[in-house]
Amino acid sequence: MTVLRRVFARVGSLVPALRWALLGFCCSTLGNTAFEGSVVPFLIVVSLPVWVLAARKTFMTVIDFFSPVSAWLVGKIGGFRALALTEGVEGVLSVIPLCVPVSSPAWKWVLFALSCALLVTGQVIDIAGEVFEVDMAGGDEKMLVDYGGIIGVLSSVLGGLIGSPLGAWIASWSVPAVLVVSAVSSFAAASTRLLSRTAVNGGNGRRDARGSAADDSMRIAQIAESVEAGGQPPLEEGPDVRVRDGVGKRADAGSRTRAGLLLGSLLLALVPASAFSYVYVLLGLGDRYGTGSLSAVYLASGVGEVVGAVVYAHSASRKGMRCMATLGVLVGAVGLSLMLVFSHVYPLMCAAFLVEAVGSTMLVHAVVVSRQILFSGKDLARFSGRSRFMYAAGAAGGSWIGYALASSWQVLPLVALVFSLGYVFVVPQLPQARA
């Protein structure tokens, strides 16, 4: 509890624009995860065929490959406009099924179409959110790291422990209620984006070592307005600030750094998809110990995500991204080793999933925040799109590898350990200096 208090105490150090962005993230995450948690229950309630689950999963993978298009859109109209408009569109889409009579045969298919459409808007929101957060932070690296840590904790708690179970529960008694929750949360999130922009333009800044609060606010506003207009962010001056180049990219983000971050995005999907995903290992565990045993595994993973997010939030500012990623790889490797050795001992397998989730959560946050530190504006949007394309490639390739070895699911953690060796080339490319 002391660590959590220290993490959330950092909210006061954020500029008002990021505080509103934090509230917007909470609304968006809670609404989206509640809808995702409701998907399977509402498919059962409205009697849609089982194949739509596979179709939706395939559609999700296909959409991931089009992430560069979403990145182009964000770069074209700016993070603020893309984020606010897309969240508004999500709200409108969630209202449409409410206009169709529940007794109509088309109603259930409208729900299925909505679930697919929200996958598209979600991708745009994810990319735009990264750009928007960098804009609102005004290039302050420490603030970005602190914000990312708080976001990590909130994402784990609101998503894994609250949102998905809440959505499943609501859908079990009223599918229209889920749509109302989704629409309200989307409109609320879009409203906070406007408040963030107002806070920036209204002169609310944070006093720091580089000048007064008013000067800091003006600097943030200039960066945000320049990026929104499709231009170049202004050069920052001072011995303690890294100079940007003409396309909004940190001067030290060279080709090796870009390649390392792209490889990291690939591995973040390839490792779990091919080895310890919630498909093959869980199917094996369910067959051996019964389907009821899987609830403990899910819970262990959820707890591990929260622990990993809290550790990252507490230590990232002091340790830096490279150190946190190294720790994440090592902890994840311990979890995979436990899976490999103790696949026949159910309690230890639950512990293994918890440990692995701790490591993978720290690693994911370190990679994502690293690209926010190293890139900005259009360059960040483009690079985020490429990263998500690599993530989709890793997920698709890993799924086929896992499928080929599914009959020998006990050895899948070994495959993950082998692929994890690729992080040796990724970690050195992450920012070393503490924020």
Side-chain angles (χ1 to χ4, degrees), residues 155-354:
S155 178
S156 299
V157 174
L158 293 177
L161 297 184
I162 298 178
S164 295
L166 178 65
W169 175 72
I170 295 176
S172 66
W173 59 269
S174 176
V175 174
V178 176
L179 300 177
V180 172
V181 170
S182 179
V184 170
S185 63
S186 295
F187 289 134
S191 299
T192 63
R193 313 309 179 186
L194 299 175
L195 292 170
S196 288
R197 188 62 179 271
T198 300
V200 169
N201 293 332
N204 294 316
R206 179 177 65 88
R207 185 179 299 274
D208 60 19
R210 290 191 292 273
S212 67
D215 292 339
D216 197 41
S217 178
M218 184 177 297
R219 181 172 59 86
I220 296 173
Q222 289 173 346
I223 293 174
E225 291 174 359
S226 177
V227 174
E228 292 298 335
Q232 302 171 358
L235 293 177
E236 298 178 327
E237 299 177 355
D240 58 335
V241 181
R242 296 178 185 173
V243 178
R244 300 172 184 266
D245 65 18
V247 295
K249 174 176 68 67
R250 300 279 184 176
D252 56 353
S255 58
R256 287 177 61 88
T257 299
R258 290 172 179 262
L261 289 173
L262 290 175
L263 176 60
S265 298
L266 176 75
L267 293 175
L268 287 177
L270 178 65
V271 172
S274 62
F276 54 87
S277 69
Y278 291 131
V279 179
Y280 308 114
V281 171
L282 285 179
L283 286 175
L285 290 174
D287 183 62
R288 173 175 290 182
Y289 301 108
T291 55
S293 64
L294 297 183
S295 58
V297 177
Y298 279 109
L299 179 60
S301 294
V303 172
E305 290 178 6
V306 174
V307 172
V310 171
V311 172
Y312 171 85
H314 180 64
S315 305
S317 293
R318 294 181 290 107
K319 301 296 185 181
M321 297 300 101
R322 189 180 301 181
C323 178
M324 297 308 298
T326 301
L327 184 60
V329 172
L330 293 177
V331 173
V334 171
L336 292 173
S337 299
L338 290 174
M339 290 184 196
L340 181 64
V341 176
F342 298 108
S343 61
H344 59 290
V345 183
Y346 175 69
L348 291 179
M349 281 296 285
C350 292
F353 270 87
L354 189 152

Side-chain angles (χ1 to χ4, degrees), residues 2-27 29 133 137 141-159 206 305-317 321 324 361-362 365-366 368-369 372:
T2 301
V3 174
L4 282 175
R5 282 197 296 268
R6 290 177 180 174
V7 170
F8 289 110
R10 296 175 184 172
V11 174
S13 68
L14 302 177
V15 292
L18 278 182
R19 293 178 203 167
W20 285 116
L22 197 63
L23 179 59
F25 173 84
C26 291
C27 294
T29 299
E133 290 159 7
E141 295 183 13
K142 185 180 186 307
M143 193 179 298
L144 276 175
V145 173
D146 288 343
Y147 179 84
I150 297 169
I151 286 295
V153 176
L154 290 174
S155 178
S156 299
V157 174
L158 293 177
R206 179 177 65 88
E305 290 178 6
V306 174
V307 172
V310 171
V311 172
Y312 171 85
H314 180 64
S315 305
S317 293
M321 297 300 101
M324 297 308 298
T361 300
M362 289 191 289
H365 289 312
V368 172
V369 174
Q372 288 185 302

Side-chain angles (χ1 to χ4, degrees), residues 39-110:
V39 169
V40 173
F42 85 57
L43 290 180
I44 297 174
V45 170
V46 301
S47 302
L48 275 169
V50 177
W51 61 260
V52 301
L53 288 175
R56 187 171 183 271
K57 179 65 176 177
T58 301
F59 181 78
M60 183 187 302
T61 302
V62 172
I63 288 300
D64 284 341
F65 280 107
F66 283 90
S67 55
V69 178
S70 299
W72 174 84
L73 176 64
V74 174
K76 193 71 174 178
I77 67 176
F80 164 72
R81 292 188 181 91
L83 190 57
L85 288 174
T86 307
E87 287 173 336
V89 169
E90 277 197 343
V92 173
L93 291 175
S94 298
V95 171
I96 291 176
L98 296 174
C99 302
V100 180
V102 177
S103 58
S104 172
W107 190 65
K108 59 184 180 181
W109 295 109
V110 173

